[in-house]
Amino acid sequence: MAKKLPAVDVALVGFGWTAAIVAEELTAAGLDVLALERGAWRDTPTDFAVTFAQDELRYMWRRSLFQEPARQTLTFRNSMDQTALPMRHLGSFLPATGVGGAGIHWNGQNWRFLPTDFVARSHNEARYGTLPESMTVQDWGVTYDELEPYYDKFEYLCGISGKAGNIKGRIQDGGNPFEGPRARDYPNPPLDMVYGPTLFAAAARETGHKPFPCPAANMSRAYTNPLGVTLAPCSYCGFCEKFGCGNYSKSSPQTTILPVLMRRNNFELRTQCEVLRVNCDSSGKRATSVTYIDTEGREFEQPAEMIFLCAFAQHNVHLLLLSGIGKPYDPKSGEGVVGRNYAYQIVSSVDVFFDDKIINPFVGAGGLGVGIDEYNGDNFDHGGLGFIGGGYLACWNTHGRPIELHPTPKGTPKWGSKWKEAVARNYLTTATISTHGAVMSYRTNYLDLDPTYRDAHGRPLLRLTFDFGDNEHRMSDYLTDRAAEIAKAMKPREIHAKKRNGHYSVVPYQTTHNTGGAAMGTDPRTSFVNRYLQSWDVPNLFVMGSSVFPQNAGYNPTGTIGALTYAAVDAVKNIYLKNPGPMVQA
Ligand SMILES: Cc1cc2nc3c(=O)[nH]c(=O)nc-3n(C[C@H](O)[C@H](O)[C@H](O)COP(=O)(O)OP(=O)(O)OC[C@H]3O[C@@H](n4cnc5c(N)ncnc54)[C@H](O)[C@@H]3O)c2cc1C
Ligand code: SF4
């Protein structure tokens, strides 16, 4: 029997980027906010001190900051006719656990989506005709222009280092000319550029592209954000993605928000408290509480006036399904919304091998790179290409970690003296161009509850059914071919283009940019939340993060997640609190 606790105004499930933003904004508005995080407390001096923050074995390979599959996992299959099996090792994506969530161990590659990404169905259909019946692509119900002030707010919170490409409609030299208009430049100048990306920039220019420094949440200089929290300049240590920053140089909930939040009496963070379900009243129209369990196995019921799911893409959807909130998606009938529109991203790369150019891959930062955006979204004419969407190309210098990075040309044996020789020859002199492509949503890609496998609490595991479509393969091939052309213009000894062929595999790491399952939109028959991320069915329940994306775009998601969160919380303060109830009429 769960022990019932005194009510709070707001309960947050999870404590990553989205929860930190909601907590800061709503405590500042005077509400009592409680965050329930399943993982442990984490902070810079105690958990990422520079004396051990770069332990590659511990963080990269033993995954010490990530969800442990022995405690929580999901099942996976490529298609509906297969039996899904539990993932006993996480591979393709690495959900976070612990205070700060994935905001601790992200790269900090911080992008805005394109204006056309938010109207993906109406824009593409107007330009290219009706989309295939198999695609469940839809408009977001919010526009880029509406989100612009909130993108700006997240970028200034984080202290993004970058160069604007479009200020109020005026194209800026050296920035990304394809980006939507922004009100002002980034708060910090770009990071210092290293040799590999500089060679890429020259070759991209020579082949008719407009390269720009990628926007990064790694500090190019000391920066004090609008909350008064100061970050230090990045030391380009290269232990960024999958690691915490010991240098206070990567924006995370810890380095931008928590120092302020922890001083507020109306904020409480309870760690190692796993939320098991959201409870509703008998009408099913009002969320009354969450039930959680602590490390001693004690169950508590925590009543709240408002509940925000901030537990990351799959976990938000899992909780909705387990709580019986919203109609589960049925791929056969196409009806239902919870689990619908799951999407991901498709990546590929081209290795560029030199003899005479020392790239020094170990001088890196998570967002240190040069990109081009000519082939993203609808920045190019897709007529006759057989696909919609696209992605950016970038040459990153993010890391040269000794266990992980072994660039070797095609045909090199996988072990032995020839392999060692090839690694020694190429480690310092290889650059890589990456492609980062969108994935559309499809009728047959979705999340539901597994009929067979159960978790430690006896509840069905989440089941993921997902594969890339022909659209994604054609698009990724197209991007990889463009990357190979630029690679050749860098005048290397040889290149190795690694296309993304075949079915989606859950084994190798790709990105933790999982999206959908509780999509936003304008129609409750095809979306779980409205434009303010408020549940259509249960108006005091809100869903934050990438589970609300109706499909994915060709960029990393967190800039858009931050903007959507700020926009939602603004609506809560200005509309909902004055008149609690649905903020959009269905
Ligand atoms: C290795 C890696 C690199 C990345 N790099 C980039 C990048 O360069 N650029 C970019 O844009 N994005 C990147 N991302 C993605 C980015 O980190 C996420 O988009 C972002 O952190 C999501 O924030 P969130 O608040 O939605 O979820 P999270 O940060 O995942 O936080 C969710 C929290 O909820 C907790 N939780 C889950 N279930 C429960 C439960 N039942 N009860 C209580 N707590 C729960 C989790 O423990 C976690 O702490 C990366 C992600 C990873 C893993
Ligand atoms: S590269 Fe910079 S931001 Fe990343 S962990 Fe190292 S010091 Fe921190």
Side-chain angles (χ1 to χ4, degrees):
M1 177 82 178
K3 180 179 175 191
K4 195 162 181 173
L5 300 170
V8 292
D9 295 327
V10 179
L12 309 176
V13 181
F15 195 80
W17 265 129
T18 55
I21 291 170
V22 176
E24 197 285 313
E25 289 278 313
L26 293 186
T27 49
L31 300 183
D32 286 328
V33 178
L34 165 70
L36 296 164
E37 164 57 49
R38 68 177 174 181
W41 170 258
R42 291 205 177 106
D43 206 358
T44 309
T46 45
D47 297 273
F48 325 118
V50 279
T51 46
F52 57 83
Q54 295 89 350
D55 185 338
E56 186 178 354
L57 197 56
R58 171 174 171 180
Y59 292 110
M60 171 77 205
W61 299 103
R62 296 188 176 147
R63 311 247 193 261
S64 113
L65 294 174
F66 300 106
Q67 176 176 306
E68 294 168 52
R71 289 168 64 107
Q72 192 168 9
T73 190
L74 71 168
T75 66
F76 167 73
R77 60 183 182 171
N78 278 122
S79 58
M80 286 161 61
D81 56 2
Q82 296 176 342
T83 302
L85 294 174
M87 290 173 65
R88 309 220 181 250
H89 297 276
L90 293 176
S92 167
F93 45 86
L94 297 172
T97 193
V99 170
I104 286 179
H105 46 69
W106 69 322
N107 272 303
Q109 300 166 359
N110 191 78
W111 299 86
R112 296 179 175 203
F113 286 7
L114 293 166
T116 51
D117 288 331
F118 295 99
V119 284
R121 176 164 286 270
S122 52
H123 175 84
N124 280 303
E125 292 205 323
R127 191 166 180 194
Y128 303 112
T130 309
L131 295 182
E133 199 269 331
S134 58
M135 278 186 183
T136 50
V137 169
Q138 61 198 44
D139 292 356
W140 295 53
V142 69
T143 65
Y144 171 84
D145 287 345
E146 288 166 335
L147 283 182
E148 199 286 330
Y150 304 107
Y151 271 121
D152 179 90
K153 196 163 178 177
F154 187 62
E155 288 165 359
Y156 274 72
L157 173 88
C158 292
I160 301 301
S161 307
K163 170 87 184 82
N166 179 345
I167 299 182
K168 297 181 182 161
R170 295 174 81 98
I171 301 302
Q172 310 289 310
D173 274 352
N176 176 7
F178 295 98
E179 69 175 0
R182 55 173 62 245
R184 53 180 174 164
D185 208 333
Y186 290 102
N188 286 312
L191 291 161
D192 289 336
M193 209 41 75
V194 283
Y195 195 34
T198 307
L199 292 172
F200 170 78
R205 242 176 255 117
E206 203 181 296
T207 47
H209 302 90
K210 295 195 169 66
F212 55 87
C214 295
N218 323 107
M219 297 308 105
S220 56
R221 61 183 177 189
Y223 176 70
T224 302
N225 77 10
L227 295 176
V229 185
T230 298
L231 293 97
C234 170
S235 65
Y236 302 81
C237 78
F239 288 80
C240 212
E241 186 195 29
K242 305 189 180 84
F243 297 78
C245 177
N247 209 40
Y248 295 86
S249 306
K250 176 163 62 173
S251 332
S252 66
Q254 275 81 349
T255 55
T256 60
I257 296 177
L258 255 186
V260 172
L261 211 41
M262 293 309 282
R263 289 198 184 93
R264 292 197 183 146
N265 292 335
N266 54 346
F267 175 68
E268 189 189 344
L269 175 55
R270 279 181 215 151
T271 58
Q272 301 192 310
C273 293
E274 183 184 355
V275 174
L276 300 177
R277 65 183 168 274
V278 178
N279 306 303
C280 288
D281 68 8
S282 55
S283 73
K285 301 262 173 237
R286 183 171 171 75
T288 49
S289 61
V290 295
T291 299
Y292 72 87
I293 188 165
D294 72 5
T295 45
E296 290 172 39
R298 293 176 301 186
E299 274 195 27
F300 297 90
E301 185 186 346
Q302 177 60 63
E305 288 298 315
M306 279 185 273
I307 294 167
F308 286 72
L309 300 186
C310 304
F312 188 60
Q314 303 105 318
H315 307 312
N316 286 342
V317 178
H318 196 202
L319 279 171
L320 289 173
L321 290 167
L322 291 170
S323 308
I325 297 176
K327 187 171 177 184
Y329 174 63
D330 175 358
K332 293 201 177 102
S333 65
E335 286 177 9
V337 286
V338 183
R340 185 177 185 271
N341 286 45
Y342 176 84
Y344 191 51
Q345 269 166 341
I346 184 162
V347 292
S348 70
S349 60
V350 178
D351 286 338
V352 194
F353 299 95
F354 297 100
D355 279 329
D356 55 341
K357 295 186 169 60
I358 307 294
I359 303 296
N360 283 338
F362 50 84
V363 184
L368 178 62
V370 166
I372 62 163
D373 224 9
E374 272 78 359
Y375 310 112
N376 214 332
D378 199 33
N379 292 343
F380 58 110
D381 185 2
H382 291 67
L385 293 175
F387 66 85
I388 59 164
Y392 67 80
L393 271 50
C395 182
W396 302 106
N397 244 59
T398 57
H399 72 94
R401 297 188 284 262
I403 309 177
E404 188 182 2
L405 190 77
H406 306 125
T408 50
K410 202 172 178 183
T412 306
K414 297 253 180 279
W415 57 282
S417 55
K418 291 275 176 232
W419 177 80
K420 283 185 193 161
E421 231 171 71
V423 173
R425 181 176 180 200
N426 295 294
Y427 175 80
L428 286 177
T429 52
T430 304
T432 298
I433 305 175
S434 308
T435 80
H436 189 276
V439 168
M440 298 301 140
S441 48
Y442 292 89
R443 235 183 128 116
T444 48
N445 287 339
Y446 64 103
L447 299 164
D448 68 352
L449 292 178
D450 192 279
T452 310
Y453 294 97
R454 294 184 171 260
D455 68 10
H457 310 297
R459 309 170 307 167
L461 292 183
L462 189 69
R463 177 170 67 175
L464 165 60
T465 306
F466 177 76
D467 209 347
F468 297 127
D470 291 343
N471 186 83
E472 283 63 47
H473 283 300
R474 287 194 203 111
M475 189 264 294
S476 186
D477 283 356
Y478 182 82
L479 295 181
T480 317
D481 289 343
R482 302 291 79 73
E485 284 163 10
I486 300 175
K488 284 179 194 150
M490 291 166 79
K491 303 193 177 54
R493 178 183 83 230
E494 62 182 297
I495 67 166
H496 181 191
K498 298 182 213 162
K499 288 196 170 174
R500 177 67 57 180
N501 298 319
H503 294 289
Y504 165 69
S505 165
V506 86
V507 178
Y509 186 73
Q510 289 152 74
T511 69
T512 312
H513 303 163
N514 319 66
T515 60
M520 62 191 292
T522 52
D523 184 346
R525 284 170 307 175
T526 53
S527 55
F528 180 74
V529 289
N530 63 28
R531 55 173 295 167
Y532 301 121
L533 314 190
Q534 178 186 37
S535 161
W536 291 107
D537 299 331
V538 182
N540 66 334
L541 177 68
F542 298 81
V543 183
M544 303 291 115
S546 57
S547 31
V548 306
F549 292 12
Q551 57 278 328
N552 218 338
Y555 300 98
N556 311 54
T558 307
T560 300
I561 291 172
L564 287 170
T565 308
Y566 272 122
V569 94
D570 227 19
V572 168
K573 288 192 299 187
N574 295 318
I575 308 172
Y576 182 87
L577 289 179
K578 290 177 187 151
N579 184 16
M583 290 191 274
V584 179
Q585 294 308 322

